[in-house]
């Protein structure tokens, strides 16, 4: 008895065998970076005279970062509005309170550059969250809610134990928000 194998079956087997040989081996993902603690500090800066013990109220790392930039910043007074200590593994988001009850969100994406504790912050953003509308207040058809504002977006390098003034956002004449990030040793 003679068996006839259809041509399409031969071509199918041959195609599958060729594809299996040419299939790339999966590239293993690099291991996730080690967790890192960051201290995020939101400051209110003004050109008015500082309060008597104001500089002592700031963490030492923040005092040093501000001192390094004092000649470039037009402000005389700095006070902490809110801060957060967070443990991250590559990215994260932290809620912060603003000076007048506003809600901000600080988001951070980074990766470790070397084993000595140097990081590249791919993006740091401070976002003003939109106000919550009371129940019963709906948008008209065809209207979208207001997008969150991003007063500060930055990218930079930071080493473990270092504090960086990420940026500032003006709040009017002689007033600003300043954000400082510390990579906790």
């Amino acid at each position: 008895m003679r068996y006839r194998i259809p041509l399409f079956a031969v071509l199918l087997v041959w195609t599958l065998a060729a594809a299996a040989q040419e299939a790339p081996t999966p590239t293993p993902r690099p291991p996730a970076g080690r967790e890192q603690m960051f201290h995020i500090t939101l400051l209110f800066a003004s050109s008015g005279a500082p309060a008597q013990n104001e500089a002592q109220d700031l963490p030492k790392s923040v005092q040093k970062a501000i001192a390094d930039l004092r000649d470039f910043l037009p402000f005389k007074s700095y006070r902490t509005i809110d801060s957060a200590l967070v443990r991250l593994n590559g990215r994260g988001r932290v809620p912060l309170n603003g000076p007048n009850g506003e809600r901000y969100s600080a988001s951070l994406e980074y990766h470790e550059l070397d084993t000595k504790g140097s990081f590249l912050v791919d993006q740091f953003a401070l976002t003003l969250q939109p106000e919550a509308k009371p129940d019963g207040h709906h948008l008209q058809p065809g209207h979208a809610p207001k997008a969150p504002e991003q007063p500060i977006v930055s990218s930079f390098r930071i080493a473990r134990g270092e504090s960086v003034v990420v940026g500032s956002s003006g709040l009017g004449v002689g007033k600003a928000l300043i954000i400082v990030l510390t990579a906790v040793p």
Side-chain angles (χ1 to χ4, degrees):
M1 188 182 271
R2 203 177 213 204
Y3 293 101
R4 295 185 108 191
I5 301 175
L7 181 59
F8 77 90
V10 173
L11 289 174
L12 177 64
V13 170
W14 179 74
T15 304
L16 291 174
Q21 290 176 355
E22 294 175 12
T25 56
T27 306
R29 286 185 168 191
R34 291 180 289 165
E35 289 185 339
Q36 173 62 37
M37 296 270 296
F38 289 97
H39 186 238
I40 302 169
T41 308
L42 185 62
L43 301 173
F44 177 77
S46 73
S47 56
Q52 188 170 346
N53 292 327
E54 191 170 278
Q56 296 171 356
D57 292 339
L58 299 176
K60 296 284 185 207
S61 59
V62 173
Q63 287 180 30
K64 183 180 180 325
I66 294 296
D68 289 346
L69 293 176
R70 195 168 291 274
D71 292 339
F72 299 105
L73 298 173
F75 308 110
K76 298 177 184 171
S77 172
Y78 302 89
R79 69 177 166 85
T80 301
I81 298 169
D82 199 3
S83 67
L85 183 63
V86 294
R87 182 181 304 274
L88 303 175
N89 190 356
R91 70 176 53 167
R93 183 176 306 270
V94 179
L96 295 169
N97 294 316
N100 297 315
E102 304 97 338
R103 297 289 298 159
Y104 288 89
S105 177
S107 60
L108 169 70
E109 289 186 31
Y110 71 94
H111 65 273
E112 198 166 0
L113 293 174
D114 55 42
T115 57
K116 298 173 187 170
S118 182
F119 304 95
L120 177 62
V121 176
D122 299 308
Q123 182 176 18
F124 184 100
L126 181 68
T127 306
L128 177 61
Q129 299 301 305
E131 292 181 33
K133 300 293 180 190
D135 289 339
H137 184 276
H138 300 284
L139 294 172
Q140 297 297 323
H143 289 71
K146 185 177 178 182
E149 296 178 34
Q150 289 188 321
I152 298 173
V153 177
S154 188
S155 177
F156 52 91
R157 287 181 181 219
I158 188 170
R160 195 171 281 123
E162 184 179 21
S163 294
V164 171
V165 174
V166 176
S168 67
S169 177
L171 295 176
V173 178
K175 298 176 186 173
L177 287 178
I178 295 180
I179 191 103
V180 179
L181 179 72
T182 302
V184 178

